[in-house]
Amino acid sequence: MLNYNCIFKHNQLGEGIMFGSFENPKNPNRKQGKDYNVSELSQLAGDDFKYTNKLASRLYKLLKPIQERSCDRFTYTRLQKALYKAVRNDQSHDLGSLRLGYGDVSSLKGFRFSLKTSLGKFFVNNPASKFDKGKNSIEVRVPLDSLQKFENINSRLAKLVIKLYCIVIQINDRNDMEIHVSKNLELQRDHVRKDRTVSFSLGDRQDVVILCLCTIRCWLMEANEKDTFLSNDATLMATELVDAILIRDGELLTFSQEDSNDLLPPLRSNDGDEIDWD
């Protein structure tokens, strides 16, 4: 029970004023500070969580400028959770030293900036990626033949702009990151829709996690049906990770469902050297 102590004081007019104070009882069995011993497993799990938070923060810093308008306050939280699941899939390290790239990373596939829309609004079949071992490259194919009809997406849709990104996260102590970008692919109502691809070279990198990202923006017709404008409607823009790929020693790694249960380097961007579509 709470102990209520009443204190009486008098003001200048001699009137009695009562002040109340509550004292919260303290549990003598509750230890705090240096006396509180966190279990070893909790400490180790906390170390893994700190690593994931730092990695998620750096990755989010790289991703957000791609399409800031489709980010909301939950985007980072959802990215953090998906990344933590991938880190927890580490099959090589013990608890407390888990790292990205030593287990199934497929939990990152399908991550999207906003839950208000997805690539499924625009495509019957989503873009797909493929690892070319001989060229040590990632090819991303956009199935334009499965693109939804413009009028089904929006009655005033005049043009779609599609762009691909390849985020390369090296599997090392520093988790160096790079981003490679395609040129804009602009599609209007009367354009022939055949599949298009972009090939991203990995250079000499043999141990990496690859995140393949597709973005879509929409241009709508004005009421006069002559002029167009770029829509900022969250339901008419999409940013989604179409694939998460793990390359170890130059080999593509896949996992079965049973298997998948300090000073940081600057982020490098290759935005100035956009890759053309095939």
Side-chain angles (χ1 to χ4, degrees):
M1 296 178 61
L2 295 178
N3 182 21
Y4 181 59
N5 295 325
C6 295
I7 302 173
F8 286 89
K9 292 187 178 180
H10 291 83
N11 60 17
Q12 294 179 349
L13 299 177
E15 298 172 333
I17 303 175
M18 183 178 70
F19 295 87
S21 64
F22 289 92
E23 293 182 0
N24 291 321
K26 294 184 178 180
N27 183 350
N29 298 319
R30 180 179 179 183
K31 296 182 179 180
Q32 297 180 350
K34 293 184 295 182
D35 296 327
Y36 183 77
N37 294 321
V38 179
S39 72
E40 183 180 358
L41 289 179
S42 296
Q43 290 178 339
L44 295 175
D47 291 340
D48 294 333
F49 191 67
K50 289 178 183 177
Y51 163 78
T52 304
N53 282 354
K54 186 176 292 186
L55 187 60
S57 178
R58 295 176 59 224
L59 181 57
Y60 184 71
K61 183 179 179 181
L62 194 67
L63 293 175
K64 185 176 181 180
I66 291 175
Q67 200 176 99
E68 290 194 48
R69 287 187 173 273
S70 62
C71 287
D72 55 35
R73 63 190 180 125
F74 299 114
T75 304
Y76 174 74
T77 303
R78 290 187 292 104
L79 175 64
Q80 187 183 49
K81 290 181 179 179
L83 193 59
Y84 186 58
K85 185 175 181 180
V87 170
R88 292 279 294 182
N89 285 334
D90 183 349
Q91 298 181 353
S92 300
H93 299 89
D94 295 328
L95 188 68
S97 59
L98 301 180
R99 293 295 181 266
L100 179 70
Y102 293 89
D104 189 5
V105 296
S106 63
S107 61
L108 293 164
K109 182 177 180 180
F111 173 80
R112 44 196 168 113
F113 279 19
S114 174
L115 297 180
K116 293 182 179 180
T117 191
S118 69
L119 291 180
K121 179 182 180 71
F122 303 92
F123 293 102
V124 175
N125 300 311
N126 279 359
S129 66
K130 181 178 69 174
F131 173 60
D132 188 322
K133 180 180 177 181
K135 297 180 179 178
N136 199 31
S137 65
I138 300 294
E139 180 184 277
V140 184
R141 178 177 296 274
V142 178
L144 295 183
D145 59 342
S146 74
L147 189 67
Q148 301 278 8
K149 294 180 179 180
F150 273 35
E151 54 269 25
N152 292 343
I153 298 173
N154 188 282
S155 60
R156 296 166 58 193
L157 181 60
K159 180 173 66 175
L160 282 178
V161 179
I162 303 173
K163 201 164 189 175
L164 297 178
Y165 296 80
C166 180
I167 294 91
V168 182
I169 306 174
Q170 295 195 53
I171 304 173
N172 55 25
D173 292 338
R174 299 164 67 85
N175 285 134
D176 303 317
M177 298 182 187
E178 283 188 2
I179 182 168
H180 303 268
V181 190
S182 76
K183 295 181 178 179
N184 286 339
L185 177 61
E186 298 185 0
L187 294 173
Q188 297 180 2
R189 288 178 177 247
D190 57 348
H191 283 173
V192 176
R193 300 174 185 176
K194 62 178 182 178
D195 290 2
R196 300 290 300 275
T197 61
V198 173
S199 182
F200 299 99
S201 174
L202 301 179
D204 59 355
R205 296 172 186 82
Q206 298 290 305
D207 299 280
V208 289
V209 173
I210 307 295
L211 303 180
C212 302
L213 186 81
C214 179
T215 69
I216 294 182
R217 294 297 304 271
C218 295
W219 287 75
L220 302 181
M221 291 182 291
E222 296 277 9
N224 60 18
E225 298 187 355
K226 294 181 180 179
D227 301 319
T228 60
F229 65 95
L230 180 62
S231 173
N232 288 323
D233 185 341
T235 65
L236 291 176
M237 60 178 77
T239 305
E240 190 170 326
L241 288 175
V242 297
D243 209 353
I245 302 170
L246 176 59
I247 308 295
R248 295 298 309 273
D249 297 323
E251 299 286 345
L252 174 67
L253 267 67
T254 58
F255 297 84
S256 67
Q257 189 63 32
E258 292 77 13
D259 292 334
S260 56
N261 219 26
D262 319 321
L263 289 179
L264 296 173
L267 301 176
R268 297 192 296 273
S269 173
N270 290 332
D271 286 7
D273 187 20
E274 295 181 340
I275 299 170
D276 208 348
W277 294 75
D278 294 332

Short mmCIF file of all heavy atoms in Angstrom, two decimals, residues 215-257:
data_model
loop_
_atom_site.label_atom_id
_atom_site.label_comp_id
_atom_site.label_asym_id
_atom_site.label_seq_id
_atom_site.Cartn_x
_atom_site.Cartn_y
_atom_site.Cartn_z
N THR A 215 12.04 0.37 -58.37
CA THR A 215 11.18 1.50 -58.03
C THR A 215 10.31 1.87 -59.22
O THR A 215 10.72 1.71 -60.37
CB THR A 215 11.99 2.74 -57.61
OG1 THR A 215 12.69 3.25 -58.74
CG2 THR A 215 12.98 2.40 -56.51
N ILE A 216 9.12 2.39 -58.91
CA ILE A 216 8.19 2.85 -59.94
C ILE A 216 7.60 4.19 -59.52
O ILE A 216 7.20 4.36 -58.36
CB ILE A 216 7.05 1.83 -60.17
CG1 ILE A 216 7.60 0.53 -60.77
CG2 ILE A 216 5.98 2.40 -61.09
CD1 ILE A 216 6.54 -0.50 -61.08
N ARG A 217 7.56 5.12 -60.45
CA ARG A 217 6.87 6.39 -60.26
C ARG A 217 5.90 6.59 -61.41
O ARG A 217 6.11 6.09 -62.53
CB ARG A 217 7.85 7.57 -60.22
CG ARG A 217 8.78 7.57 -59.01
CD ARG A 217 8.05 7.71 -57.69
NE ARG A 217 7.21 8.89 -57.60
CZ ARG A 217 7.63 10.07 -57.15
NH1 ARG A 217 8.89 10.24 -56.77
NH2 ARG A 217 6.80 11.11 -57.06
N CYS A 218 4.82 7.34 -61.16
CA CYS A 218 3.76 7.52 -62.15
C CYS A 218 3.60 8.99 -62.54
O CYS A 218 3.63 9.88 -61.67
CB CYS A 218 2.43 7.02 -61.60
SG CYS A 218 2.38 5.24 -61.29
N TRP A 219 3.42 9.22 -63.83
CA TRP A 219 3.05 10.54 -64.34
C TRP A 219 1.58 10.49 -64.76
O TRP A 219 1.17 9.58 -65.49
CB TRP A 219 3.92 10.91 -65.54
CG TRP A 219 5.33 11.26 -65.14
CD1 TRP A 219 6.33 10.42 -64.76
CD2 TRP A 219 5.90 12.58 -65.10
NE1 TRP A 219 7.48 11.10 -64.48
CE2 TRP A 219 7.26 12.44 -64.68
CE3 TRP A 219 5.41 13.86 -65.38
CZ2 TRP A 219 8.11 13.52 -64.52
CZ3 TRP A 219 6.27 14.94 -65.24
CH2 TRP A 219 7.58 14.78 -64.81
N LEU A 220 0.81 11.45 -64.29
CA LEU A 220 -0.61 11.49 -64.58
C LEU A 220 -0.94 12.64 -65.52
O LEU A 220 -0.22 13.65 -65.58
CB LEU A 220 -1.43 11.64 -63.30
CG LEU A 220 -1.23 10.57 -62.22
CD1 LEU A 220 -2.13 10.87 -61.03
CD2 LEU A 220 -1.49 9.18 -62.77
N MET A 221 -2.05 12.51 -66.25
CA MET A 221 -2.52 13.57 -67.13
C MET A 221 -3.30 14.61 -66.33
O MET A 221 -4.05 14.27 -65.42
CB MET A 221 -3.41 12.99 -68.24
CG MET A 221 -2.67 12.15 -69.25
SD MET A 221 -3.76 11.54 -70.57
CE MET A 221 -4.78 10.37 -69.65
N GLU A 222 -3.08 15.87 -66.69
CA GLU A 222 -3.88 16.94 -66.11
C GLU A 222 -5.33 16.82 -66.60
O GLU A 222 -5.63 16.05 -67.51
CB GLU A 222 -3.31 18.31 -66.50
CG GLU A 222 -1.92 18.59 -65.97
CD GLU A 222 -1.94 19.09 -64.54
OE1 GLU A 222 -3.02 19.07 -63.91
OE2 GLU A 222 -0.88 19.52 -64.04
N ALA A 223 -6.21 17.60 -66.01
CA ALA A 223 -7.62 17.55 -66.40
C ALA A 223 -7.81 17.91 -67.87
O ALA A 223 -8.74 17.42 -68.53
CB ALA A 223 -8.44 18.49 -65.51
N ASN A 224 -6.90 18.74 -68.42
CA ASN A 224 -7.02 19.13 -69.82
C ASN A 224 -6.53 18.04 -70.78
O ASN A 224 -6.62 18.19 -72.00
CB ASN A 224 -6.26 20.43 -70.10
CG ASN A 224 -4.77 20.32 -69.77
OD1 ASN A 224 -4.22 19.22 -69.66
ND2 ASN A 224 -4.11 21.46 -69.62
N GLU A 225 -5.98 16.95 -70.19
CA GLU A 225 -5.48 15.80 -70.95
C GLU A 225 -4.35 16.16 -71.92
O GLU A 225 -4.07 15.42 -72.85
CB GLU A 225 -6.63 15.12 -71.72
CG GLU A 225 -7.70 14.55 -70.82
CD GLU A 225 -8.73 13.75 -71.59
OE1 GLU A 225 -8.65 13.73 -72.84
OE2 GLU A 225 -9.63 13.15 -70.96
N LYS A 226 -3.70 17.28 -71.68
CA LYS A 226 -2.56 17.68 -72.50
C LYS A 226 -1.26 17.66 -71.70
O LYS A 226 -0.25 17.16 -72.17
CB LYS A 226 -2.80 19.08 -73.08
CG LYS A 226 -3.96 19.15 -74.07
CD LYS A 226 -4.12 20.56 -74.62
CE LYS A 226 -5.28 20.63 -75.62
NZ LYS A 226 -5.47 22.02 -76.15
N ASP A 227 -1.31 18.23 -70.53
CA ASP A 227 -0.12 18.30 -69.68
C ASP A 227 -0.08 17.11 -68.72
O ASP A 227 -1.10 16.50 -68.41
CB ASP A 227 -0.10 19.61 -68.90
CG ASP A 227 -0.13 20.83 -69.82
OD1 ASP A 227 0.58 20.78 -70.85
OD2 ASP A 227 -0.85 21.80 -69.52
N THR A 228 1.14 16.80 -68.23
CA THR A 228 1.30 15.71 -67.27
C THR A 228 2.08 16.21 -66.05
O THR A 228 2.78 17.22 -66.12
CB THR A 228 2.05 14.52 -67.90
OG1 THR A 228 3.34 14.95 -68.33
CG2 THR A 228 1.27 13.96 -69.07
N PHE A 229 1.97 15.46 -64.96
CA PHE A 229 2.71 15.82 -63.75
C PHE A 229 3.09 14.54 -63.01
O PHE A 229 2.42 13.50 -63.13
CB PHE A 229 1.87 16.72 -62.84
CG PHE A 229 0.63 16.07 -62.28
CD1 PHE A 229 0.63 15.47 -61.03
CD2 PHE A 229 -0.55 16.04 -63.03
CE1 PHE A 229 -0.51 14.86 -60.53
CE2 PHE A 229 -1.70 15.45 -62.53
CZ PHE A 229 -1.68 14.85 -61.27
N LEU A 230 4.18 14.62 -62.24
CA LEU A 230 4.65 13.48 -61.46
C LEU A 230 3.79 13.35 -60.19
O LEU A 230 3.73 14.28 -59.39
CB LEU A 230 6.12 13.66 -61.08
CG LEU A 230 6.76 12.54 -60.26
CD1 LEU A 230 6.76 11.23 -61.02
CD2 LEU A 230 8.19 12.93 -59.86
N SER A 231 3.15 12.22 -60.02
CA SER A 231 2.26 12.02 -58.88
C SER A 231 3.06 11.73 -57.61
O SER A 231 4.04 10.98 -57.63
CB SER A 231 1.32 10.84 -59.15
OG SER A 231 0.57 10.53 -57.99
N ASN A 232 2.62 12.34 -56.52
CA ASN A 232 3.20 12.07 -55.21
C ASN A 232 2.25 11.25 -54.34
O ASN A 232 2.43 11.16 -53.12
CB ASN A 232 3.53 13.39 -54.49
CG ASN A 232 4.73 14.08 -55.12
OD1 ASN A 232 5.68 13.43 -55.54
ND2 ASN A 232 4.69 15.40 -55.20
N ASP A 233 1.25 10.66 -54.97
CA ASP A 233 0.33 9.77 -54.27
C ASP A 233 1.07 8.50 -53.87
O ASP A 233 1.67 7.82 -54.71
CB ASP A 233 -0.85 9.44 -55.20
CG ASP A 233 -1.93 8.61 -54.51
OD1 ASP A 233 -1.63 7.98 -53.47
OD2 ASP A 233 -3.06 8.58 -55.03
N ALA A 234 1.05 8.18 -52.58
CA ALA A 234 1.80 7.01 -52.08
C ALA A 234 1.33 5.71 -52.71
O ALA A 234 2.09 4.74 -52.76
CB ALA A 234 1.68 6.93 -50.56
N THR A 235 0.10 5.66 -53.18
CA THR A 235 -0.41 4.44 -53.81
C THR A 235 0.04 4.32 -55.26
O THR A 235 -0.23 3.30 -55.90
CB THR A 235 -1.94 4.38 -53.74
OG1 THR A 235 -2.50 5.44 -54.53
CG2 THR A 235 -2.43 4.50 -52.31
N LEU A 236 0.70 5.34 -55.78
CA LEU A 236 1.16 5.33 -57.17
C LEU A 236 2.68 5.40 -57.27
O LEU A 236 3.23 5.87 -58.25
CB LEU A 236 0.53 6.49 -57.95
CG LEU A 236 -0.98 6.37 -58.20
CD1 LEU A 236 -1.51 7.61 -58.89
CD2 LEU A 236 -1.29 5.12 -59.03
N MET A 237 3.34 4.93 -56.21
CA MET A 237 4.79 4.80 -56.24
C MET A 237 5.15 3.54 -55.45
O MET A 237 4.51 3.22 -54.46
CB MET A 237 5.48 6.03 -55.66
CG MET A 237 5.14 6.34 -54.22
SD MET A 237 6.05 7.78 -53.57
CE MET A 237 5.11 9.11 -54.33
N ALA A 238 6.14 2.83 -55.92
CA ALA A 238 6.52 1.58 -55.25
C ALA A 238 8.03 1.47 -55.19
O ALA A 238 8.73 1.86 -56.13
CB ALA A 238 5.93 0.37 -55.99
N THR A 239 8.51 0.97 -54.07
CA THR A 239 9.93 0.64 -53.91
C THR A 239 9.98 -0.69 -53.17
O THR A 239 9.53 -0.78 -52.03
CB THR A 239 10.67 1.71 -53.09
OG1 THR A 239 10.47 2.99 -53.69
CG2 THR A 239 12.15 1.41 -53.04
N GLU A 240 10.53 -1.70 -53.83
CA GLU A 240 10.47 -3.05 -53.25
C GLU A 240 11.75 -3.83 -53.56
O GLU A 240 12.30 -3.73 -54.67
CB GLU A 240 9.26 -3.78 -53.81
CG GLU A 240 8.95 -5.10 -53.13
CD GLU A 240 7.59 -5.65 -53.55
OE1 GLU A 240 6.66 -4.85 -53.81
OE2 GLU A 240 7.46 -6.89 -53.62
N LEU A 241 12.21 -4.59 -52.58
CA LEU A 241 13.36 -5.48 -52.79
C LEU A 241 12.86 -6.75 -53.47
O LEU A 241 12.17 -7.56 -52.84
CB LEU A 241 14.02 -5.83 -51.45
CG LEU A 241 14.81 -4.71 -50.77
CD1 LEU A 241 15.32 -5.17 -49.41
CD2 LEU A 241 15.97 -4.26 -51.63
N VAL A 242 13.19 -6.88 -54.75
CA VAL A 242 12.68 -8.03 -55.51
C VAL A 242 13.48 -9.29 -55.25
O VAL A 242 13.03 -10.40 -55.55
CB VAL A 242 12.64 -7.71 -57.02
CG1 VAL A 242 11.70 -6.56 -57.29
CG2 VAL A 242 14.04 -7.41 -57.56
N ASP A 243 14.69 -9.14 -54.68
CA ASP A 243 15.48 -10.33 -54.37
C ASP A 243 16.59 -9.99 -53.40
O ASP A 243 17.05 -8.84 -53.32
CB ASP A 243 16.08 -10.94 -55.64
CG ASP A 243 16.28 -12.45 -55.52
OD1 ASP A 243 16.08 -12.99 -54.41
OD2 ASP A 243 16.62 -13.09 -56.53
N ALA A 244 16.98 -10.99 -52.62
CA ALA A 244 18.14 -10.90 -51.72
C ALA A 244 18.99 -12.12 -52.01
O ALA A 244 18.53 -13.26 -51.89
CB ALA A 244 17.70 -10.87 -50.27
N ILE A 245 20.23 -11.91 -52.43
CA ILE A 245 21.09 -12.98 -52.93
C ILE A 245 22.36 -13.05 -52.09
O ILE A 245 22.95 -12.02 -51.76
CB ILE A 245 21.46 -12.72 -54.40
CG1 ILE A 245 20.19 -12.63 -55.25
CG2 ILE A 245 22.40 -13.79 -54.94
CD1 ILE A 245 20.45 -12.15 -56.67
N LEU A 246 22.77 -14.27 -51.76
CA LEU A 246 24.00 -14.48 -51.01
C LEU A 246 25.03 -15.18 -51.88
O LEU A 246 24.78 -16.26 -52.41
CB LEU A 246 23.71 -15.32 -49.75
CG LEU A 246 24.93 -15.71 -48.89
CD1 LEU A 246 25.67 -14.47 -48.40
CD2 LEU A 246 24.48 -16.57 -47.72
N ILE A 247 26.18 -14.54 -52.04
CA ILE A 247 27.31 -15.09 -52.80
C ILE A 247 28.46 -15.33 -51.84
O ILE A 247 28.93 -14.39 -51.18
CB ILE A 247 27.77 -14.14 -53.93
CG1 ILE A 247 26.57 -13.71 -54.81
CG2 ILE A 247 28.86 -14.80 -54.77
CD1 ILE A 247 25.94 -14.82 -55.56
N ARG A 248 28.93 -16.57 -51.75
CA ARG A 248 30.09 -16.91 -50.91
C ARG A 248 31.11 -17.64 -51.78
O ARG A 248 30.78 -18.59 -52.47
CB ARG A 248 29.68 -17.80 -49.74
CG ARG A 248 28.73 -17.15 -48.74
CD ARG A 248 29.35 -15.93 -48.06
NE ARG A 248 30.65 -16.21 -47.50
CZ ARG A 248 30.83 -16.70 -46.27
NH1 ARG A 248 29.79 -16.95 -45.51
NH2 ARG A 248 32.04 -16.92 -45.83
N ASP A 249 32.36 -17.15 -51.73
CA ASP A 249 33.44 -17.73 -52.54
C ASP A 249 33.04 -17.82 -54.01
O ASP A 249 33.39 -18.77 -54.72
CB ASP A 249 33.81 -19.13 -52.02
CG ASP A 249 34.35 -19.09 -50.60
OD1 ASP A 249 35.08 -18.14 -50.28
OD2 ASP A 249 34.03 -20.00 -49.82
N GLY A 250 32.29 -16.82 -54.48
CA GLY A 250 31.89 -16.77 -55.87
C GLY A 250 30.77 -17.71 -56.25
O GLY A 250 30.44 -17.83 -57.43
N GLU A 251 30.16 -18.36 -55.25
CA GLU A 251 29.08 -19.32 -55.50
C GLU A 251 27.77 -18.80 -54.92
O GLU A 251 27.74 -18.20 -53.84
CB GLU A 251 29.41 -20.68 -54.88
CG GLU A 251 30.66 -21.34 -55.42
CD GLU A 251 30.49 -21.91 -56.83
OE1 GLU A 251 29.32 -22.04 -57.26
OE2 GLU A 251 31.50 -22.23 -57.48
N LEU A 252 26.68 -19.07 -55.64
CA LEU A 252 25.35 -18.72 -55.16
C LEU A 252 24.93 -19.71 -54.09
O LEU A 252 24.97 -20.92 -54.30
CB LEU A 252 24.35 -18.74 -56.32
CG LEU A 252 22.87 -18.52 -55.96
CD1 LEU A 252 22.66 -17.10 -55.45
CD2 LEU A 252 21.99 -18.79 -57.17
N LEU A 253 24.52 -19.19 -52.91
CA LEU A 253 24.08 -20.06 -51.83
C LEU A 253 22.56 -19.99 -51.69
O LEU A 253 21.97 -18.92 -51.74
CB LEU A 253 24.72 -19.64 -50.50
CG LEU A 253 26.02 -20.36 -50.13
CD1 LEU A 253 27.13 -19.98 -51.10
CD2 LEU A 253 26.43 -20.05 -48.70
N THR A 254 21.95 -21.15 -51.56
CA THR A 254 20.51 -21.24 -51.30
C THR A 254 20.32 -22.08 -50.05
O THR A 254 21.16 -22.91 -49.70
CB THR A 254 19.77 -21.87 -52.48
OG1 THR A 254 20.31 -23.18 -52.74
CG2 THR A 254 19.90 -21.02 -53.74
N PHE A 255 19.18 -21.87 -49.38
CA PHE A 255 18.90 -22.55 -48.13
C PHE A 255 17.51 -23.15 -48.17
O PHE A 255 16.59 -22.56 -48.73
CB PHE A 255 19.00 -21.57 -46.95
CG PHE A 255 20.38 -21.00 -46.76
CD1 PHE A 255 20.78 -19.89 -47.50
CD2 PHE A 255 21.26 -21.55 -45.85
CE1 PHE A 255 22.05 -19.36 -47.34
CE2 PHE A 255 22.53 -21.01 -45.67
CZ PHE A 255 22.92 -19.93 -46.42
N SER A 256 17.37 -24.29 -47.53
CA SER A 256 16.05 -24.90 -47.41
C SER A 256 15.31 -24.21 -46.28
O SER A 256 15.88 -23.47 -45.49
CB SER A 256 16.19 -26.40 -47.11
OG SER A 256 16.76 -26.60 -45.83
N GLN A 257 14.02 -24.47 -46.17
CA GLN A 257 13.21 -23.86 -45.12
C GLN A 257 13.71 -24.27 -43.74
O GLN A 257 13.68 -23.49 -42.79
CB GLN A 257 11.75 -24.27 -45.29
CG GLN A 257 10.78 -23.51 -44.38
CD GLN A 257 10.75 -22.02 -44.68
OE1 GLN A 257 10.93 -21.62 -45.82
NE2 GLN A 257 10.54 -21.21 -43.65
#
